[in-house]
Amino acid sequence: MAARIRQGASRMLLAMLCAISLGGASKFSAQPKPGVGLLALQSRASENVAVERRIVGTTSANVSDKIDIGQGRTSVFARPAEQSNTFSSSMTIIVCGLASLGLAVIWIYSCDYAGRSEDADAAEGTEAGRNLATGSAGEGIGRSVSKILAPPSSNHLVHGQIRFEEGSTQFCVTSNESDPQVLCEQLDSWFSGGPMLILSIFGGADEFDTDPYNFDLDAFSKGLVQAAVRTRAWVVTGGTKSGVMDLVGKAMRAHDKQRQVPCIGISPFGALTEKWRSLLLRTSLCDCSVVDARKAAREKLDADSLHDGTAIQDNHTHSILCDNGTQGKAAYGTEGNFRTAFEQFAATMLSDGAPRVMILVNGGMISVQMVAEQIRAGSCVVTCKGTGRAADALASLSQAYEDLEEEMTAQIAGQCLKEHMPTLKDKDVQIFLDIIQSRQLKVYSYEDRIQDVILSAVLSLKTSAAAIEHQLLLAVRWGCTDYFDLLGPKFVEFYEGGAVKRIFETLVAHTDISDLSSRSKLTLKPQETVNVAPLINWMMESYPELMRSVNVDRSWKGGVTWTGLGTRKKESWTGLEGLLLWAVENDATDSSLFAIWMHMEDPVHAALAMASALRGTALSYSSFSYQATLAKESLHERADYAERLAILFIKDLSSRIGISPAEYLFSVSKTWGNSTAFHLAKQLGCALFVEAKFYRSAVDVYWMTPHPFDLGKETLDYDFGILSGAYAYVFQTDRFSLGAWDTLSVPYVKAYTHGIMRVLFCLVYGWQVMFGEISYGGFTPMGGFLMFWAMGYIQLEITQFRHLGFRDYFADIWNILDFWHLLVFLSLVSASWTFTHDYSRDITEREQLLQDIHSLNLLPTFARLFKVCQYSEYFGTLLLTLFGLCVDAAYFFLMLGMFCATMSCALTPILWPSIHERWAHGITWGFWSIFGDVNSDAMHRAENLPSRPLRWLTLFLLYVLTLGSNILLVNLLIAIMNNTYTRYQEASKTHWASARVEAVLEFDDITTLPPPFNLLAAFLEQVAPALAKALKESKMQPVARPKFTINKKHLQESMGRVLCSNHVDQQLPENGGAGCDRGSFASPEELVKPESPSRLTRTPTRPFFPDTPAARGRAVGK
């Protein structure tokens, strides 16, 4: 198709060049005089197009559409032009020469593509373009491959696409002696990668009915499709529209609507009806390889009886039709050898190989013979009891053999078999006995799950390391937890210390961890839901030391990039902490994260770290695609949920064992950087956790406790005032047990003392700048005092910088203001002392410059005073709102600038024709229209323009400029600011709580005495350390508090109650939540096992951790 499109385009270009040459010649050569030369172009081309079918090449599909273009003669006759028109004649020759050259190039291009391969045709667009056509390759290798694959009914491989009402099916007609490997190489566009499991379904071609009390057809179909979808399996059937094949096809349509599972039908070509065969062969002879079965349905191609032939089942994704020349009933079973060879080859497409499981449903003697062939080929067999005939016969014989074993004879076996197959011949009994004695037959009955039976059959195969891993993968994907005790120890033994790493890299990770740097490649395609949580819980119970000692380092794909505990990335993480962070960054399912979190020793710290890691992972995604935006929003939702888990856990734990939330918040975790949950929440930016009532109460305790903080220390009264407190401290000493130094070290007192001193510094500095004292002459006493004062603030900033680091320090706007105004102040004072020595009251030019810079420096100096607003909820919320409005104003002025600049650039050349006038006015005159001030000179010039249309248009544009900037954009700014104010008011508690905590914890890095007294204290420590120590000695000893202990049972019970609750923003029920009995709590296994999904059900009001990236994207998109 692509070659034909190119040929058509080439011919169109050819015709266009001919027209150009004709037009050019007539334009430059034709003259009104009678003696003018005439350019005549005569072109004659005869095409003999022979379109043949595409054939199979050596390693890929070679498509040859032969197009023999006959000799085309193009003659250009030109009479010599008159000498008076030499230029026209020269141009005529040039145009004709270029046109002839173009014709030659296009002609060669068209002929070259006529015999070129159409490999790109398969990837062109639709699935119909993937069908390989047939024909003669013209090469020895192509003819030999075509001869091997060609069926007797045709001289070439026939394949294409069949369109049905509910989908399409790829098909090919080949010889039953074809090599499956060669066939798959030629049809490489059919399959992408090999299967992890092959489910080969055999059975009778006749219609049969099943007893619903003996065989649940719906459960069997649903379980079969789920097993195939979750395992990336291939389903292979007979492919015809009869019996078991039709049953499987309908099951795939019902439970795999997106056609994720390749369902391959391998059928005898001769068993089809005459109309089906002729239609397929007739299609192969025409120029179209697409069979429209919707039109063919009117011909009633489906057979009324088996003897008339059958049809192709319309719900298979692929259909391979094997032809050996026989037709009718004799053709049944002739495809068996090819089917066995095809499945053997498909099982080796992956390096580790894929197990093959044959499933027998009903069936006759032909199916039994195929079962025997499959077992000899190394496959295992599952027979479905209750489906009748051969399947029931094998199930009955298997049960009898287990009962009799060595006493089983051919006679007894024949009697057992003939109950289900009365026409069975005695010579065929031995085939049944060989199948049973192979020990590779498993029976599926009404009470079983098909996944369990298939896995049991797979376990009867080889037990290499790759096989054990594959079997464990099947057990996890299918939820067969009973097999963990059998497969898990073997898996751990094979991989030794790397078992945990192998499990997490192959099962827990959901993203493509081969290249974590390219987060922009994220796709939210549907993925199967694999619940790895039961395996993680089994590993924690069976190998706890192995799980807690695992080292997650760079050898793990992607490693752990989270840096929440510091500015640098840790080289390795040990234990469950590393597993949790690695799982978060690799998009593990929520059940896996829960399973790890349930066994953490510090669940609150772990939940906060998980929330931070989720937000960090969201930042690594690209923002240039809608899918990435959905994924980022989903990750932020999950992070919020992790914080709510921590909140509910603390509430439940404190209510059950009687500890104070503050006690738990201030407990130190050695595994999370020796930090408390109180400090970790602020460090990681967990705003929801900080907003919790118990956290805000802890902030109040911290606010009124002397530094360093200890819960055993006495706190100041919450009604303590600075003036009244100072009076009481001097004249009513019996009211205070705190010493002077302890009182000054209280963060509440620090806020007042440091705030008062900063206000005084601003006032003194402003006074000096206002009256020019700081800029006159060289050194002055007041200038020296201000310099000393500023050095005290510099000492504070250096301490904060060392504690926070470069990135975190400059991430705070208040630190930027401090750094800027102190740096400018020191530079200006130093310059004044160095370069100005005129002590007269007359201000020099240099002094005026310094004073101007000092005046501007007052802006950040006074702006720094607004930080004290963070201590008040009312003023703190207003301050945050002000910041939001400033951001809106910045975006507004960007839009305003673009609009006004556009209008000014358009109007300035019209209104001021002179270049000098344009330079004088520039384009800034349009910006003043926001205040309703229209340039009078512009209006005057617009009214006096000579052209009336231009005058009207210019006046209209001036009107648009005024209307847009002064009315539309200004009102837009008002609306945006109103929306921002409303949004911040709604989230005031969350924003202010976070800002307040940041302000309170800042006093950990601030000296007890405010500047400039902190320099005096530092000087005293150097000169008289004993005196300084005596002054700082606390008169109050912390009260010894009993240390609380939380055992593992308390932790898991509280975590179980949290996960049992359906709504994380509500109080936990007394009985532990849905599914939890009063007095007993769900275990981790019960919380995450597949049979109880209701405990993790998402509610309409709040999404509850979807289990796949696709589900998360859909949840956000709703």
Side-chain angles (χ1 to χ4, degrees), residues 118 138 191 261 288 482 539 599 630 644 781 839 885 905 1068:
E118 285 193 7
F191 311 111
V261 179
C288 179
D482 296 337
M539 289 289 295
H599 297 89
L630 293 181
R644 294 189 184 98
Y839 293 91
L885 295 179
C905 291
L1068 291 169

Side-chain angles (χ1 to χ4, degrees), residues 225-236:
V225 175
Q226 287 181 351
V229 170
R230 293 184 178 183
T231 320
R232 207 178 72 193
W234 286 5
V235 177
V236 182

Side-chain angles (χ1 to χ4, degrees), residues 672-948:
W672 295 100
N674 291 321
S675 60
T676 64
F678 181 83
H679 289 83
L680 188 64
K682 177 261 177 182
Q683 180 179 349
L684 301 181
C686 299
L688 290 179
F689 188 82
V690 170
E691 185 192 0
K693 293 181 179 179
F694 60 81
Y695 191 94
R696 297 173 68 175
S697 299
V699 172
D700 291 338
V701 175
Y702 194 92
W703 184 238
M704 304 300 289
T705 304
H707 185 76
F709 178 81
D710 192 308
L711 277 176
K713 288 185 177 181
E714 182 181 350
T715 61
L716 288 179
D717 295 335
Y718 289 100
D719 56 352
F720 180 86
I722 292 297
L723 297 179
S724 60
Y727 175 80
Y729 186 83
V730 175
F731 299 102
Q732 301 176 1
T733 56
D734 57 329
R735 292 181 51 188
F736 289 90
S737 58
L738 297 178
W741 192 263
D742 290 331
T743 304
L744 292 175
S745 67
V746 175
Y748 172 77
V749 178
K750 279 185 181 181
Y752 273 98
T753 55
H754 284 257
I756 292 173
M757 294 305 298
R758 185 171 288 275
V759 171
L760 292 177
F761 174 80
C762 292
L763 293 177
V764 173
Y765 182 33
W767 177 274
Q768 293 295 306
V769 172
M770 178 69 67
F771 294 97
E773 299 291 339
I774 200 171
S775 302
Y776 291 151
F779 177 82
T780 60
M782 185 56 67
F785 178 70
L786 283 177
M787 174 67 80
F788 179 73
W789 204 337
M791 293 299 295
Y793 284 112
I794 291 175
Q795 193 268 343
L796 287 181
E797 298 304 317
I798 292 175
T799 303
Q800 286 188 341
F801 183 83
R802 289 177 177 177
H803 177 74
L804 297 176
F806 181 86
R807 185 184 65 180
D808 292 339
Y809 176 83
F810 285 102
D812 190 351
I813 184 62
W814 305 116
N815 292 334
I816 295 176
L817 292 176
D818 282 332
F819 174 81
W820 175 256
H821 85 81
L822 290 175
L823 177 64
V824 172
F825 177 81
L826 290 179
S827 302
L828 293 177
V829 173
S830 300
S832 176
W833 292 353
T834 305
F835 300 109
T836 59
H837 303 284
D838 185 8
Y839 293 91
S840 64
R841 303 304 294 179
D842 297 332
I843 300 179
T844 64
E845 182 178 355
R846 183 177 299 173
E847 291 174 345
Q848 182 62 45
L849 175 62
L850 293 177
Q851 187 170 355
D852 293 342
I853 300 177
H854 271 300
S855 301
L856 295 176
N857 193 41
L858 288 177
L859 294 176
T861 304
F862 277 86
R864 178 60 175 77
L865 295 176
F866 283 100
K867 187 175 182 179
V868 298
C869 297
Q870 289 184 336
Y871 308 135
S872 168
E873 181 175 2
Y874 177 78
F875 290 104
T877 304
L878 291 181
L879 183 63
L880 293 174
T881 305
L882 178 62
F883 288 156
L885 295 179
C886 291
V887 173
D888 292 337
Y891 286 115
F892 165 77
F893 282 111
L894 176 63
M895 184 182 301
L896 176 67
M898 295 174 60
F899 175 75
C900 293
T902 301
M903 301 299 293
S904 298
C905 291
L907 291 173
T908 299
I910 300 174
L911 298 175
W912 292 280
S914 173
I915 300 298
H916 177 73
E917 292 178 335
R918 295 177 188 177
W919 277 109
H921 288 83
I923 61 174
T924 58
W925 61 271
F927 291 89
W928 295 103
S929 60
I930 189 176
F931 303 106
D933 182 17
V934 182
N935 192 293
S936 58
D937 188 20
M939 289 294 299
H940 176 72
R941 288 179 175 270
E943 293 173 353
N944 295 317
L945 288 174
S947 174
R948 179 177 298 180

Side-chain angles (χ1 to χ4, degrees), residues 86-118:
T86 306
F87 176 75
S88 299
S89 301
S90 302
M91 293 302 298
T92 300
I93 295 173
I94 294 173
V95 171
C96 293
L98 292 177
S100 301
L101 179 62
L103 290 173
V105 173
I106 297 300
W107 194 278
I108 295 172
Y109 181 83
S110 177
C111 294
D112 177 62
Y113 268 102
R116 189 172 296 181
S117 171
E118 285 193 7

Side-chain angles (χ1 to χ4, degrees), residues 1094-1105:
S1094 60
R1095 296 175 184 174
L1096 298 180
T1097 303
R1098 293 171 55 239
T1099 61
T1101 56
R1102 186 179 299 276
F1104 192 92
F1105 251 0

